[in-house]
């Protein structure tokens, strides 16, 4: 994992996954440093990703007071239960629906859950964090938030884009990505991650962007995009185009067999 710093009070814990045929997808979690430190999402649910090591490089987990889970997909919940053990004073900020989804795998400690809906705010000591439903999402429990103290918007999956290289996927500023690749990648990700966008009432969809336009974020931090200072209005205009973009159609079985044919055969096991 790479660690990038945004301003004086946000650390980005940057991971990535190669998605064949699409590119390298950033997978970020965040730490908001302050009077009551907040960890935003907890990384991939894959072994050996080093999330807790990266987290420990920027904060003592015992000091964490809040864990804001933007939604309970497996690329957001990887180290959740380990972090709850390491951060005994931390409360988990989530929704009733997300709590129910997670309980089908492992029960949450209910006394450490803080339920928060879009439009409600969390007092984190020296800052107010206001939840909102991003215009694009792949899980109905999604709640991002806006930090009023620094103008940073945590948008969950919204505004994501696969990057052309692994290095770009974990870089410190999306401005390093080619403009055409970013434009195409954000519209592709909208179709991949939120396929329902092609069937929406466009006026209602555009109206869903009002909270973010009102916040006018100084920085957009998406789970699936490098940090993006000064790009909020541009990104909102771009995802406004998503209903008319090409739908994503994934590879079928014939394509999978073609792909498998390019792989080297596995080494034969020795006969004992």
């Amino acid at each position: 994992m790479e660690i990038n710093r945004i301003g004086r009070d946000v650390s980005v814990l940057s991971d990535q996954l190669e998605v064949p045929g699409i590119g390298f997808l950033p997978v970020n979690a965040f730490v908001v440093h302050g009077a009551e430190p907040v960890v935003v999402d907890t990384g991939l649910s894959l072994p050996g990703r080093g999330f807790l090591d990266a987290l420990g490089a920027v904060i003592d987990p015992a000091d964490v007071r809040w864990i804001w889970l933007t939604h309970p997909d497996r690329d957001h919940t990887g180290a959740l239960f380990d972090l709850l053990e390491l951060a005994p004073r931390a409360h988990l900020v989530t929704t009733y629906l997300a709590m129910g989804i997670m309980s089908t795998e492992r029960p949450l400690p209910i006394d450490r859950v803080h339920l928060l809906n879009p439009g409600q705010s969390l007092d984190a000591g020296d800052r107010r964090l206001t939840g909102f439903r991003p215009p694009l999402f792949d899980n109905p429990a999604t709640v991002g938030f806006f930090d009023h103290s620094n103008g940073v918007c945590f948008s969950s999956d919204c505004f994501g884009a696969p990057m052309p290289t692994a290095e770009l996927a974990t870089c410190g500023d999306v401005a390093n990505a080619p403009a055409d690749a970013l434009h195409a990648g954000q519209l592709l990700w909208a179709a991949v991650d939120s396929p329902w966008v092609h069937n929406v009432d466009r006026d209602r969809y555009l109206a869903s962007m009002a909270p973010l336009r009102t916040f006018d974020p100084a920085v957009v931090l998406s789970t699936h995009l490098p940090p993006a200072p000064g790009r909020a209005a541009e990104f909102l205009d771009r995802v406004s185009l998503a209903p008319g973009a090409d739908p994503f159609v994934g590879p079928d079985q014939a394509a999978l067999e073609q792909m498998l044919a390019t792989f080297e055969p596995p080494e034969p096991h020795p006969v004992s």
Side-chain angles (χ1 to χ4, degrees), residues 94-103 108 113-117 141:
T94 188
T95 66
Y96 182 77
L97 177 58
M99 183 173 66
I101 291 170
M102 284 185 284
S103 70
L108 287 171
V113 170
H114 182 97
L115 295 182
L116 184 143
N117 293 317

Side-chain angles (χ1 to χ4, degrees), residues 13-227:
L13 311 182
S14 301
D15 204 347
Q16 56 83 25
L17 281 176
E18 184 176 7
V19 183
I22 290 181
F24 296 84
L25 185 66
V27 183
N28 302 316
F30 310 95
V31 179
V32 181
H33 303 275
E36 298 179 8
V38 184
V39 172
V40 186
D41 294 331
T42 60
L44 287 160
S45 299
L46 290 171
R49 306 305 291 199
F51 175 84
L52 290 175
D53 291 337
L55 179 66
V58 301
I59 191 173
D60 183 342
D63 292 335
V64 174
R65 295 294 301 277
W66 303 97
I67 304 167
W68 189 301
L69 187 67
T70 64
H71 64 283
D73 285 355
R74 298 304 297 274
D75 54 338
H76 298 253
T77 63
L80 175 60
F81 288 95
D82 291 334
L83 182 54
L84 283 168
E85 290 184 11
L86 294 172
R89 296 191 299 163
H91 280 72
L92 175 64
V93 183
T94 188
T95 66
Y96 182 77
L97 177 58
M99 183 173 66
I101 291 170
M102 284 185 284
S103 70
T104 64
E105 179 180 4
R106 181 173 172 181
L108 287 171
I110 302 300
D111 59 325
R112 297 179 63 187
V113 170
H114 182 97
L115 295 182
L116 184 143
N117 293 317
Q120 296 180 325
S121 296
L122 175 72
D123 180 354
D126 58 349
R127 62 196 63 230
R128 179 166 61 95
L129 311 178
T130 297
F132 67 91
R133 175 64 51 80
L136 292 170
F137 55 89
D138 69 350
N139 186 303
T142 300
V143 181
F145 69 89
F146 179 75
D147 185 338
H148 294 267
S149 73
N150 56 17
V152 175
C153 159
F154 296 81
S155 67
S156 193
D157 287 4
C158 190
F159 306 121
M163 294 285 107
T165 67
E167 291 73 22
L168 282 173
T170 57
C171 74
D173 191 329
V174 77
N176 293 319
D180 56 346
L182 176 60
H183 178 92
Q186 285 187 307
L187 291 179
L188 171 62
W189 181 247
V192 170
D193 200 52
S194 306
W196 51 263
V197 76
H198 302 295
N199 302 318
V200 297
D201 179 289
R202 293 195 182 205
D203 290 338
R204 295 183 67 179
Y205 171 63
L206 295 177
S208 74
M209 301 180 191
L212 274 176
R213 292 196 184 277
T214 298
F215 289 142
D216 189 22
V219 180
V220 170
L221 294 180
S222 168
T223 305
H224 298 307
L225 192 76

